[in-house]
Amino acid sequence: MNRQTLIQTLPKAELHVHIEGTFEPELMFAIARRNGVGIPYASVEEVKAAYDFHNLQSFLDIYYAGAEVLLHEQDFYELTLAYLQRCRDDNVVHTEIFFDPQTHTERGVPFATVLGGIRRACLEAEQQWGITSLLIMCFLRHLSEDAAFATLEAALPHREHIIGVGLDSSEVGHPPAKFERVFAAAREAGFLTVAHAGEEGPPEYIWQALDLLKVSRIDHGVRAEEDETLTARLIAEQMPLTVCPLSNLKLKVVDNLAAHNLRRLLQRGVCVTVNSDDPAYFGGYMNQNFNALVQALDLSTAEIKQLCENSFQASFLSETAKAAWCRNIRQAV
Ligand code: ADE
Ligand code: ZN
């Protein structure tokens, strides 16, 4: 079996995908028209041409503008179902989806509308295709601690439908320490925690995510390698990194994929996983990320399988479910 077929065949979990980042231009145009919301592009081609980023912020500006057309429960449902169809195509059997409530509640869209649409799609995908999903609500780190507390408050009535909280948006200048108290309150309320750290920000932000936010995973974390003590800790604790190769390429975290440190981290024993981050903006869903890595880094069959196993080991699935999926992967030819 060639490596591309192996990637297609193996079951995978996705642990780092922003639902707003799966908004394909075609669907964006359809929903914008339906909702009577203007977008500053004449065609899908023009939108795609605008997806030429030089760093995280240049992407975020366009990503937040795109999300403004989402108004109704049906919009969030269609957005999420379209992503889950991509999961089915790529044999992603489990996904832990980020959503950014503040992007929507700040525009007057109720929290329950956002969550309701996302959940309806997740339930449908589980019934129809057997794909399981968990939801992680992210705080926007460029906004205040007070705003994050208000979001946590809004989430409490929906606690049973949200497995954890995360931290995303503009990293540099907004260290995890800014949200130490909110994360403590979230843990107190029973949420698991994750955080984006070490994408553009320094290794110090990863230390803070571990020690102050008490995260179960680091999202991105690729800059950990600059700090040997930190890397050793990640290995010793088997602290997962949810790495997003095509995102790192498109946001100029790396100059080219051949220079990506994913394989080096994997070979050192870091629990790295492969994810798509914002696939509609970065040119690829799960299997495109895997295939691009195989091309650039010449990943072996054993390494591909290890990455798939890691995706389940690093997930919030039960130990029984993790073991079953890993057995399935090990038994694959
Ligand atoms: N929001 C969506 N994608 C993001 C990323 N890669 N980093 C930080 N915030 C994000
Ligand atoms: Zn992300």
Side-chain angles (χ1 to χ4, degrees), residues 18-164:
H18 302 260
I19 201 62
E20 295 88 352
T22 69
F23 205 4
E24 292 288 342
E26 290 79 3
L27 185 60
M28 194 184 291
F29 266 91
I31 294 180
R33 200 171 308 118
R34 189 167 79 199
N35 289 346
V37 178
I39 45 178
Y41 307 103
S43 65
V44 165
E45 290 66 38
E46 223 179 88
V47 177
K48 289 184 177 164
Y51 293 175
D52 182 21
F53 313 115
H54 52 272
N55 59 14
L56 175 58
Q57 193 60 49
S58 64
F59 154 69
L60 290 171
D61 293 341
I62 287 184
Y63 160 88
Y64 292 129
E68 284 187 16
V69 310
L70 297 164
L71 297 179
H72 306 295
E73 194 259 12
Q74 179 70 17
D75 305 341
F76 291 94
Y77 163 78
E78 289 177 20
L79 173 70
T80 308
L81 195 65
Y83 162 65
L84 291 163
Q85 277 163 343
R86 303 286 192 145
C87 289
R88 186 187 52 160
D89 295 345
D90 280 358
N91 204 19
V92 170
V93 298
H94 174 72
T95 176
E96 302 189 353
I97 302 175
F98 293 139
F99 68 110
D100 290 339
Q102 287 157 296
T103 301
H104 313 296
T105 54
E106 283 214 322
R107 301 179 290 115
V109 178
F111 191 102
T113 299
V114 178
L115 186 63
I118 296 172
R119 285 197 63 230
R120 184 154 65 93
C122 291
L123 292 171
E124 199 171 303
E126 181 156 7
Q127 279 161 6
Q128 291 199 2
W129 306 319
I131 298 172
T132 54
S133 307
L134 295 171
L135 301 179
I136 299 173
M137 159 184 115
C138 288
F139 300 114
L140 299 181
R141 68 203 303 159
H142 68 276
L143 300 178
S144 67
E145 181 194 30
D146 279 353
F149 265 116
T151 305
L152 180 59
E153 194 70 28
L156 291 179
H158 309 281
R159 169 68 197 86
E160 65 185 307
H161 302 306
I162 303 170
I163 187 87

Side-chain angles (χ1 to χ4, degrees), residues 16-18 98 167-169 196 199 219-220 242 244 247 277-278 282:
H16 185 158
V17 60
H18 302 260
F98 293 139
L167 187 64
D168 65 2
S169 194
H196 283 54
E199 178 185 18
D219 297 313
H220 293 294
T242 63
C244 307
S247 166
D277 204 4
D278 302 284
F282 301 149

Side-chain angles (χ1 to χ4, degrees), residues 185-249:
R187 290 196 311 277
E188 191 67 27
F191 293 100
L192 297 172
T193 62
V194 298
H196 283 54
E199 178 185 18
E200 286 188 345
E204 168 60 19
Y205 285 20
I206 302 175
W207 284 105
Q208 288 185 13
L210 295 171
D211 292 332
L212 305 183
L213 306 188
K214 313 222 183 292
V215 295
S216 301
R217 301 192 290 252
I218 297 286
D219 297 313
H220 293 294
V222 287
R223 288 195 60 191
E225 207 186 24
E226 295 167 28
D227 180 333
E228 187 48 43
T229 315
L230 176 59
T231 307
R233 176 172 174 185
L234 297 178
I235 296 165
E237 295 181 6
Q238 282 299 287
M239 173 61 60
L241 302 185
T242 63
V243 178
C244 307
L246 289 175
S247 166
N248 293 159
L249 180 67

